[in-house]
Amino acid sequence: MENPKSIIKVEELQTSFYTHKGEIKAVDGVSFDVPSGKTLGIVGESGSGKSITSLSIMRLLEDPGKIKGGKITFNGEDLLAKSESNMRTIRGNRISMIFQEPMTSLNPVFTIGDQIAESYMIHEGLSKKQALRKALGMLELVGIPSPKDRLKAYPHELSGGMRQRAMIAIALACNPELLIADEPTTALDVTIQAQILRLINGLQEELGMSMMLITHDLGVVAETCDYVAVMYAGKIVEYADVDTLFKSPKHPYTVGLLQSLPRHDIDQDELNVIKGMVPRPDDLPEGCRFAPRCPFATRLCEEKLPSLDDIDDKNQVRCWIYNDQWDGPEVNVKDDYRTAQSD
Amino acid sequence: MTTELLRVTNLKQYFPIKGGILGRKVNDVKAVDDISFYVNAGETLSIVGESGCGKSTTGRAILRLDEPTAGEVSFNGKDLLALNKSEMRKMRKDLQIIFQDPYASINPRQTVRQVLNEAMEIQNVLPKDQREDRMMELMDTVGLGAHQLDRFPHEFSGGQRQRIGIARALSVDPKLIICDESVSALDVSIQAQVLNLLKKLQRELDLTYLFIAHDLGVVRHISDRVIVMYLGKIVEVADKKSLFDNPKHPYTKTLLSAIPVPDPTKQKEQIILKGDVPSPIDPPTGCRFHTRCPFATDKCKDEVPELRTTSDGMVAGHEAACHYIEEIESGEMKAKD
Ligand SMILES: Nc1ncnc2c1ncn2[C@@H]1O[C@H](COP(=O)(O)OP(=O)(O)OP(=O)(O)O)[C@@H](O)[C@H]1O
Ligand SMILES: Nc1ncnc2c1ncn2[C@@H]1O[C@H](COP(=O)(O)OP(=O)(O)OP(=O)(O)O)[C@@H](O)[C@H]1O
Ligand code: SF4
Ligand SMILES: [Mg+2]
Ligand SMILES: [Mg+2]
């Protein structure tokens, strides 16, 4: 699915970790693009490669992680060809990232104020005093209570929600073109989540920012994203606009995921689950990676990896069920999932 | 028959703020300010509420990870605050916690095997030669698989790391587990498995949970009763059904309206809270919610509302701390904007 104007385009990205136990294919042939000014949601199983995809874009992989193939184009520029010092400028100025675990990216020995101010000092060449004044404004913008006092606070003195706001303040201080938010509201309660999502959405409109939002909360996806990519074991298994994904999901994993949400309208004794666990990253199934957990899997699924195909104007799906070669009985994934699962 | 396992009475947790060149105490963060509640054996009591309202602090105070400023914590009839350090350490076998941020709570230099072994070693739970089997069983229980025992925490994804925390808590056969945002970092299909797992373990091992979470969908699924906190105080407590179907406190209503619904076509009415969360250093007088409450009056500014049950429309055990439960219910008082 080629979008007319995309801010970032990822093609066949492959990122692996080379450990003493062998190669771990964390991201294995991932392609997508983010239309300019829009929000792409990335959802998927824990360990499916969402964070590593974003770290690859940022070129922030730690050893022994390596991008081994593919192409990342940001505003027409080839990111993988950039030098580390060019990359550093892009990271601070044009692409920002909010991380899943704020404590890993906030520096524990510097105050929040210093950490935001640093961004202004480096990127706008402001004096410490000017930078601190702007930092105060930023803390107000992200809704941190008593911002003046919090300027002088250390990360451990803040609650989880405030730390996350501090991170957002740091990320937005440089007015980025693309914001990559990795689980930005996971540790927050809902009124704050609602505020932060509204804050990010508002800033997005105001600043014309594009966004990649990584989350496991399908409610958040429904309320904030324009497009959704569903990842499983290093690959995208479904891509669609948000309405289509929720109304007519096609991939068995997407369907299983939607059906395992706790319902708000009825009491359930047990939640529906997707059986089994994610395959070992150093020992991936040969065929479809979801096959060991899929209630519809056939021999074809176990033997051959399906490709990500347009199955109609709306969904791109990586599943044999929608292919001419399908060797199983006719199924409607959405309607038949639960019965197939309990067999 | 229900027996009480944990009772918290008038608990306060103030953190001193030091200032000036002499580093004298200038003020306090009133993180938890006089709360009381109980947890029955075998039940799940959840605590929900705004970020920074004191949920984690409550959990930490019960375990004496921070020493409470005032109040009583009684577990199985024992006064936890009267125990000395070594008695308390032994007590932690019965009271485990699974933390919010798995990255901060697991030693990055230990393999999962070492993490689990150390937990069992400290509490002396099993003879050495049986620990290996137990560890393998635990890894399967939490869905990681025994083959991952020799990996280091950083080799796991965020969600996988959270399961290590659950395995570690379970390794000492506790009675009460405080789950502080324990499933928040998990994605849905795994979250469903872990929630089913927690429920199953509860039935089988007779576990009691104090469940701290921000996902109200999850809270609704797992809880028997729910406490709603705001700025260090309890504003509402009720059995799950009453809380979700018949919330009384204006803050609870706001909270429920903010749940993101996984249906992009659904237009929902969100009550939008104005203003910031006030600072717990200088919390608002009277009702602490009055600075953001759409119904607030002068009385709310001056008088602290106590938890109470109104005679009509609230079942026994359902309490809310608002001056105007009846008036808001009858429509006599309207939200201001
Ligand atoms: N430093 C590392 N060494 C080895 N393997 C790693 C390393 N970092 C990540 N991985 C592996 O790469 C895969 C992808 O991890 P990633 O962090 O991208 O998952 P994720 O989709 O973000 O999951 P989550 O939702 O749990 O955050 C996982 O299988 C993980 O175990
Ligand atoms: N060691 C400390 N020193 C000073 N203040 C602290 C300390 N620990 C917590 N606080 C403060 O106490 C208040 C309550 O924090 P707590 O971590 O209990 O919140 P929470 O309800 O768990 O929030 P979240 O949902 O964000 O995790 C916050 O204002 C926090 O900044
Ligand atoms: S007591 Fe007043 S301020 Fe507090 S919730 Fe009730 S109406 Fe609102
Ligand atoms: Mg991640
Ligand atoms: Mg907390």
Side-chain angles (χ1 to χ4, degrees), chain B residues 55-56 100 180-181 212:
Chain B
K55 305 181 295 292
S56 298
Q100 183 166 11
D180 191 347
E181 305 282 3
I212 297 169

Side-chain angles (χ1 to χ4, degrees), chain A residues 30-331:
Chain A
V30 160
S31 307
F32 62 83
D33 59 330
V34 183
S36 191
K38 300 282 186 203
T39 301
L40 170 72
I42 301 187
V43 295
E45 207 81 0
S46 186
S48 61
K50 305 180 298 291
S51 296
I52 300 302
T53 299
S54 39
L55 290 175
S56 302
I57 293 172
M58 295 293 275
R59 299 250 316 264
L60 281 175
L61 288 169
E62 275 170 29
D63 273 349
K66 288 223 163 43
I67 297 176
K68 72 169 196 193
K71 205 170 157 196
I72 301 174
T73 320
F74 173 66
N75 252 338
E77 296 169 54
D78 182 357
L79 281 193
L80 297 185
K82 299 267 178 218
S83 69
E84 175 51 32
S85 82
N86 280 342
M87 230 16 244
R88 214 172 298 136
T89 323
I90 290 177
R91 277 201 289 270
N93 283 313
R94 303 176 59 198
I95 310 180
S96 264
M97 186 158 173
I98 307 172
F99 290 91
Q100 185 168 16
E101 290 157 346
M103 275 319 252
T104 59
S105 52
L106 290 173
N107 192 328
V109 302
F110 289 103
T111 64
I112 296 298
D114 283 346
Q115 292 185 57
I116 305 174
E118 191 190 313
S119 168
Y120 288 117
M121 284 155 69
I122 295 174
H123 301 295
E124 292 181 22
L126 299 183
S127 72
K128 175 104 192 227
K129 207 169 152 200
Q130 291 169 314
L132 275 173
R133 197 169 320 124
K134 285 196 103 170
L136 178 62
M138 208 51 181
L139 285 184
E140 272 164 15
L141 187 67
V142 299
I144 290 194
S146 5
K148 258 216 174 89
D149 298 335
R150 303 294 182 188
L151 269 182
K152 291 178 224 123
Y154 290 90
H156 77 272
E157 295 172 326
L158 302 180
S159 72
M162 282 189 270
R163 269 180 222 151
Q164 203 62 345
R165 284 164 184 259
M167 279 243 315
I168 293 175
I170 294 170
L172 294 180
C174 64
N175 207 343
E177 291 159 58
L178 174 67
L179 178 68
I180 303 177
D182 190 349
E183 305 273 7
T185 57
T186 295
L188 310 179
D189 66 296
V190 290
T191 65
I192 297 298
Q193 170 169 284
Q195 284 178 8
I196 294 224
L197 292 176
R198 205 171 301 134
L199 169 79
I200 295 178
N201 279 341
L203 291 169
Q204 179 181 20
E205 258 169 51
E206 201 177 307
L207 309 172
M209 196 166 66
S210 311
M211 230 173 102
M212 273 171 64
L213 179 71
I214 297 167
T215 175
H216 68 278
D217 188 330
L218 289 159
V220 170
V221 170
E223 289 189 359
T224 55
C225 297
D226 303 296
Y227 298 91
V228 191
V230 182
M231 282 188 77
Y232 189 82
K235 292 196 173 285
I236 291 180
V237 296
E238 184 154 8
Y239 182 99
D241 68 85
V242 70
D243 288 345
T244 304
L245 192 96
F246 282 88
K247 204 163 57 196
S248 38
K250 293 283 191 281
H251 195 283
Y253 173 65
T254 315
V255 170
L257 195 63
L258 288 168
Q259 291 186 359
S260 56
L261 286 172
R263 300 270 298 263
H264 294 290
D265 43 352
I266 52 165
D267 274 335
Q268 305 152 280
D269 200 32
E270 266 202 19
L271 296 169
N272 296 311
V273 301
I274 298 177
K275 280 188 198 150
M277 49 180 135
V278 192
R280 290 169 59 166
D282 57 347
D283 186 17
L284 294 168
E286 228 168 89
C288 170
R289 293 191 179 162
F290 189 58
R293 301 174 77 187
C294 181
F296 306 110
T298 63
R299 245 184 77 189
L300 177 63
C301 306
E302 274 155 27
E303 285 168 1
K304 266 178 83 184
L305 184 74
S307 52
L308 186 66
D309 295 323
D310 282 309
I311 58 158
D312 48 37
D313 302 343
K314 294 186 158 166
N315 306 58
Q316 283 185 309
V317 184
R318 187 188 290 282
C319 172
W320 284 119
I321 292 175
Y322 305 96
N323 190 287
D324 291 341
Q325 297 175 50
W326 175 238
D327 58 342
E330 198 171 311
V331 286

